[in-house]
Amino acid sequence: MVSEILQQSHLVDGEAEVNLQKQGNELPSQILNGRHGKSGSDRSSVRPSLDYNCGDDNTGIASYRDVPSSVNIDIQPDTLRKKARQQREMTFQDMCNNLDIFEDDDEDDDDDSDWEPLHKLREIMKWFCTNCTMANLDVAVHCDSCGEHRESGILKHGFFAPSFLHESTLLEAELETRTDKGMVSQVSTFNSSTAIGFDERMLLHSEVEMKSHPHPERPDRLRAIAASLATAGIFPGRCYPIPAREITKEELEMVHSAENIQAVEVSSNVISCYFTPDTYANKHSAQAARLAAGLCADLASEVFSGRAKNGFALVRPPGHHAGVKQAMGFCLHNNAAVSALAAQAAGAKKVLIVDWDVHHGNGTQEIFEQNKSVLYISLHRHEFGRFYPGTGAADEVGTMGAEGYCVNVPWSQSGVGDNDYIFAFKQVVLPIASAFAPDLTIISAGFDAARGDPLGMCDVTPAGYAQMTYLLNIVSGGKLLVILEGGYNLRSISSSATAVIKVLLGESPGCDLDDPLPSRAGMKTVLDVLAIQKNFWPVLESSFSQLQSQYEIYTTQRRKPRKKRGRGVVPPLCWRWSRKRLLYHLLKGQLRVRGKGF
């Protein structure tokens, strides 16, 4: 069974690719045919995925752009159709990208010639952005996607390093001095209240062979956050580290099946393997996963016992997609689940997990969907099941007597920002969390809903994350543990993580959205969630009635009355397509041309 899970060394059919953006003329899209997985008791059944084109919101781009038209990339349609037929499972990055799906044919062939264009592109596009991993032509100095300089200093100074201009000698010296001061101003464990879990051995978990594009879940994610904290004098400095240890097999068995644990363990005996086409492992990955889970478990115990006021787990690989039996979505072991059970072993009766990663934590939901002692609340892009992993609809509320202990806030589109998240917190998260009264709060803190993230395509700012942390800090008497999940833009993830840790240290979040005005789609999502969850949490009843009235007024005010137009002069129809088209529209009373018109 283990040998079927591990896919040795080579690129498997359907390998997820993070696509090259904003590079000019559009070339043919990659083709994958996949399916969504489900969590819980219904995980064995899958729902076919027919179309992942997200429309005009640009939530994901599968085409390669900005390649000169003179470049000859030969892609055979027959070969592409063969690749589509071979694909067995839609992967993490595929769901975030718009991928055209071609009809299958009856031929079977293991030919990998359709990957040849990617190799040709690599010969042309000479460098990948350190910040967002997007590909750029050799002549470019700044990344065409995020503006990061080709010789970015973000891994050395974090988000403090300049992005649009190459750092000058003066600025370099200033940042060096700032970093040195931060290193010197260390405080003792007894004077600090915030614990940090970090171990450099987790940086060894990486993809051995880079495919056509760097993998977004990469060691640089931790390096950028660590550099930002050091430059700001926060860690080392104002926070203290806890000693790292590897989680034991007995602790993992409380969360995962023996099959999952053995599969991850066996990966340490090979140079490179894949649990799913986008979830890699090398010989160091199993240890990194054990270290991450061990640090999270110990942090939960430290915070609950009062030895630390709160904590931040700077760990990888992430964990919230890892379910009982399977590693998936870049995740090997479920760190949040391990932490919750460690806190309960230390005496906590009720634990709250709030997951604000842009992807639904299907693994965490599966593990606790029948458990009334752990309340799981997730805010994520869902788009009616079209966004990875396809789970997390509002009507997924828990099973087997634990209905209401899974709360999903599924955004229906990309671009969701601070106002929508804070609004959902005040209308859904905080009322339910207060009624639940947890002994410990755990945040699955993915920062891929942050502004600029290439996978999330949302608009949450560091101030927004700081405000959400501040609101959750009072739920369980300040006993709060933040665990790093996703986040693939280094500036976004490092600035957001720094803002969150500053709140843990007692600083003000910097902004207070007392009465956030959500988008229309965001308000509709929250209203749908309240309509379902009020059946399990009576405290939501008044909020639902009030919001329903507000929504009706809100939608009425946004409707613009149509102006009645007189017949006027009827111009010849041919004018619409000729040089007289402006006159045509003026005579028709259409001062503004709508749609694609002409």
Side-chain angles (χ1 to χ4, degrees), residues 427-444:
Q427 296 292 332
V428 179
V429 178
L430 295 181
I432 295 178
S434 298
F436 180 66
D439 301 308
L440 174 70
T441 299
I442 297 172
I443 302 177
S444 277

Side-chain angles (χ1 to χ4, degrees), residues 3-4 24 32 78 160 379 549 567 578:
S3 61
E4 296 177 0
L32 291 171
D78 290 340
F160 293 100
L379 304 93
S549 302
R567 286 192 65 154
S578 67

Side-chain angles (χ1 to χ4, degrees), residues 161-449:
S163 58
F164 287 94
L165 297 174
H166 183 53
E167 54 258 62
S168 63
T169 305
L170 181 61
L171 180 58
E172 183 80 14
E174 179 184 344
L175 290 173
E176 288 285 358
T177 303
R178 189 171 184 176
T179 303
D180 291 340
K181 289 181 178 179
M183 296 288 287
V184 172
S185 62
Q186 297 186 31
V187 295
S188 68
T189 299
F190 301 102
N191 295 329
S192 180
S193 60
T194 299
I196 299 289
F198 176 71
D199 191 287
E200 289 187 352
R201 286 174 289 179
M202 291 182 290
L203 300 175
L204 298 176
H205 169 64
S206 62
E207 192 171 35
V208 172
E209 179 186 358
M210 191 187 83
K211 309 306 179 184
S212 63
H213 192 281
H215 200 287
E217 206 298 288
R218 59 205 191 277
D220 288 348
R221 298 172 63 242
L222 294 194
R223 293 190 180 105
I225 297 176
S228 298
L229 297 178
T231 303
I234 294 176
F235 180 74
R238 299 169 62 189
C239 303
Y240 73 94
I242 67 167
R245 73 169 178 93
E246 297 181 22
I247 198 76
T248 65
K249 182 179 180 181
E250 291 71 25
E251 290 173 293
L252 284 177
E253 286 175 343
M254 297 175 65
V255 175
H256 298 293
S257 66
E259 179 184 26
N260 170 270
I261 298 170
Q262 184 184 10
V264 174
E265 193 63 34
V266 169
S267 68
S268 61
N269 298 324
V270 297
I271 297 176
S272 175
C273 63
Y274 289 85
F275 296 94
T276 65
D278 58 5
T279 305
Y280 64 79
N282 63 15
K283 62 182 180 180
H284 304 290
S285 299
Q287 184 186 39
R290 292 194 302 270
L291 284 168
L295 282 167
C296 290
D298 290 349
L299 278 169
S301 299
E302 289 278 311
V303 174
F304 174 73
S305 65
R307 291 188 294 271
K309 181 179 180 181
N310 48 48
F312 189 98
L314 185 55
V315 296
R316 61 182 293 274
H320 73 150
H321 291 303
V324 174
K325 295 182 179 180
Q326 79 284 357
M328 61 177 288
F330 311 166
C331 305
L332 303 187
H333 295 319
N334 196 303
N335 301 320
V338 168
S339 301
L341 295 183
Q344 291 185 331
K349 294 182 179 179
K350 293 185 289 186
V351 177
L352 167 66
I353 300 177
V354 177
D355 188 340
W356 67 43
D357 190 283
V358 78
H359 303 93
H360 179 242
N362 58 301
T364 308
Q365 177 173 294
E366 176 197 352
I367 292 167
F368 294 117
E369 66 181 351
Q370 300 177 14
N371 190 333
K372 297 176 67 173
S373 67
V374 178
L375 171 62
Y376 178 67
I377 304 178
S378 177
L379 304 93
H380 52 272
R381 272 183 68 185
H382 184 252
E383 299 181 13
F384 310 103
R386 294 191 297 269
F387 194 76
Y388 184 91
T391 56
D395 59 0
E396 296 177 24
V397 297
T399 61
M400 302 294 291
E403 287 82 3
Y405 289 86
C406 285
V407 181
N408 288 301
V409 182
W411 305 122
S412 60
Q413 61 186 28
S414 63
V416 185
D418 292 348
N419 282 11
D420 287 319
Y421 272 84
I422 301 301
F423 183 77
F425 259 62
K426 293 188 174 182
Q427 296 292 332
V428 179
V429 178
L430 295 181
I432 295 178
S434 298
F436 180 66
D439 301 308
L440 174 70
T441 299
I442 297 172
I443 302 177
S444 277
F447 296 109
D448 41 6

Side-chain angles (χ1 to χ4, degrees), residues 480-502:
L480 181 62
L481 171 60
V482 183
I483 299 175
L484 182 66
E485 296 286 358
Y488 310 103
N489 178 302
L490 299 190
R491 286 193 174 273
S492 299
I493 191 176
S494 58
S495 58
S496 299
T498 302
V500 166
I501 294 176
K502 285 182 177 180

